[in-house]
Amino acid sequence: MAEEMKETMEQYENELEASFRKMDEGDIVEGDVLSVSDEEAVIDLKYYAQGILKASEYSDDPNITLTEALREGDRLKAKVISVDDGEGNILLSKREANQVLAWDHLQKLMDEEAVLSLTVGGVVNGGVIVYVEGIRGFIPASQLSLNYVEDLNTWLKKEVEAKIINVDESRNKLVLSAKEVEKAKAQEELNHKMAMMRPGMVLEGTVENIMPYGAFVDLGDGLSGLIHISQFSEKRIKSPKEMVEEGQKVKVKVLKIADNKISLSMKVLEESREAEKVETGIEYKEEEKAQTSLGDLLANLKL
């Protein structure tokens, strides 16, 4: 009984508070979704009148439908565009509320360098259109990918990950980049591969570029290393072209990894081979000597 009286009193207080509230056009209000259809959503504003959110007032994104975007019980903020729609309801616009509320959030997302999962909603001259927080954003063609984008139409409806790179509320301008996200991922992957490299590793690669000071070798998996001119051979050379040519397969040894740069050497491998030859020669001579001594011993043995 006491519980029922408590609930009744709370309801009465809420209704009393609602009766004293005053809503004006332009106010930003918050409420819970009571029901949703393709045409409109009914919003409980804790007010004597319910809020009505028409489908056209939900977002600037034409691809969004109310039944996909909202569920009963969802809480949202909207702007009052009319205190009476002729049937005693409050007409609301989430689209216009976005224009008021979203820009600060978009600025925060840019400052945090947040990666957003978005769907390309349209193709225009020079780029594509996406929607963030209901605000129309633009990804220039040059910011869509690390690779050259030839046909923008192939990106329509495609899922992309992008960062906000420019927020200008005064000009209603929102610019994003998917290329920056790809670049960050590529760098992270490169860092991981670099972390797996160890000095002393012997690798095979392809000479990709020859400079006066050395040659760059493609090691595969996006990794490249430099053989400095001093690391080709024991003998002094004037140009790396004396030792290698572009496209040539070479075996190299990793000397060191520092600042995401790999230093390579052919000379160290050459020195190792020479050392092996010398070592093998010594072993052979010792073995030959031992055999000869044994032969002499048997030859001089009298039975």
Side-chain angles (χ1 to χ4, degrees):
M1 188 71 175
E3 288 287 334
E4 291 178 3
M5 287 186 63
K6 183 179 179 182
E7 288 180 7
T8 304
M9 285 297 294
E10 285 179 353
Q11 290 173 358
Y12 173 74
E13 287 173 3
N14 291 336
E15 290 172 4
L16 186 63
E17 181 183 348
S19 67
F20 283 106
R21 283 177 65 196
K22 188 174 184 299
M23 286 191 185
D24 295 313
E25 291 181 8
D27 287 352
I28 302 295
V29 295
E30 189 171 12
D32 299 317
V33 177
L34 292 176
S35 63
V36 189
S37 69
D38 288 333
E39 292 76 31
E40 65 182 29
V42 179
I43 313 298
D44 178 13
L45 299 172
K46 299 295 187 287
Y47 193 58
Y48 67 84
Q50 290 181 330
I52 299 296
L53 177 65
K54 299 290 185 182
S56 59
E57 292 297 333
Y58 180 78
S59 172
D60 284 327
D61 187 349
N63 299 304
I64 289 181
T65 62
L66 278 181
T67 50
E68 290 176 348
L70 294 176
R71 296 286 182 273
E72 290 183 17
D74 285 353
R75 176 164 284 265
L76 58 76
K77 289 182 179 180
K79 183 179 178 180
V80 176
I81 55 176
S82 175
V83 293
D84 190 348
D85 65 350
E87 297 181 4
N89 298 310
I90 309 290
L91 277 183
L92 303 171
S93 173
K94 187 177 185 303
R95 181 177 59 82
E96 291 189 22
N98 287 342
Q99 299 294 331
V100 177
L101 300 171
W103 288 101
D104 286 343
H105 188 217
L106 293 175
Q107 181 66 51
K108 183 181 179 184
L109 290 174
M110 185 178 77
D111 294 341
E112 293 174 348
E113 297 187 358
V115 176
L116 310 173
S117 295
L118 308 166
T119 303
V120 174
V123 175
V124 294
N125 186 31
V128 300
I129 300 300
V130 292
Y131 290 87
V132 187
E133 304 285 331
I135 302 295
R136 186 177 186 267
F138 176 65
I139 303 180
S142 62
Q143 293 296 322
L144 261 176
S145 174
L146 286 172
N147 302 315
Y148 174 70
V149 176
E150 187 170 351
D151 185 3
L152 287 171
N153 290 306
T154 61
W155 288 77
L156 189 62
K157 304 298 182 184
K158 190 174 180 179
E159 296 292 324
V160 296
E161 288 187 328
K163 287 182 179 180
I164 298 172
I165 57 174
N166 188 12
V167 173
D168 189 343
E169 183 179 359
S170 62
R171 296 170 61 191
N172 203 32
K173 185 178 179 181
L174 178 65
V175 183
L176 301 97
S177 172
K179 182 179 179 179
E180 287 298 313
V181 177
E182 282 190 15
K183 190 186 296 184
K185 284 185 175 181
Q187 186 60 53
E188 185 179 345
E189 188 176 344
L190 178 63
N191 291 342
H192 176 70
K193 290 175 182 176
M194 291 289 288
M196 302 298 287
M197 299 289 287
R198 294 288 183 272
M201 293 175 69
V202 177
L203 307 168
E204 186 176 74
T206 306
V207 178
E208 58 182 349
N209 194 14
I210 298 176
M211 305 297 288
Y213 53 84
F216 288 95
V217 177
D218 179 5
L219 301 172
D221 286 333
L223 295 178
S224 179
L226 173 68
I227 309 173
H228 189 264
I229 192 169
S230 64
Q231 291 298 322
F232 279 97
S233 175
E234 280 291 339
K235 65 181 182 179
R236 189 177 180 84
I237 61 172
K238 292 182 179 180
S239 168
K241 290 183 179 180
E242 296 177 31
M243 303 295 296
V244 295
E245 59 184 23
E246 290 184 9
Q248 180 180 337
K249 296 284 186 183
V250 291
K251 276 194 174 181
V252 292
K253 191 169 187 176
V254 178
L255 290 182
K256 67 176 183 178
I257 303 104
D259 301 323
N260 273 349
K261 295 177 182 177
I262 304 172
S263 297
L264 305 170
S265 176
M266 290 174 62
K267 182 174 75 172
V268 173
L269 288 180
E270 183 184 311
E271 291 171 349
S272 297
R273 283 193 294 268
E274 290 299 325
E276 285 176 9
K277 285 180 183 178
V278 172
E279 188 177 345
T280 303
I282 292 171
E283 289 175 355
Y284 175 75
K285 286 176 184 177
E286 288 178 348
E287 184 181 351
E288 184 179 44
K289 184 178 179 182
Q291 289 173 346
T292 303
S293 299
L294 182 59
D296 291 341
L297 180 61
L298 291 173
N300 295 326
L301 185 61
K302 293 181 180 180
L303 299 173

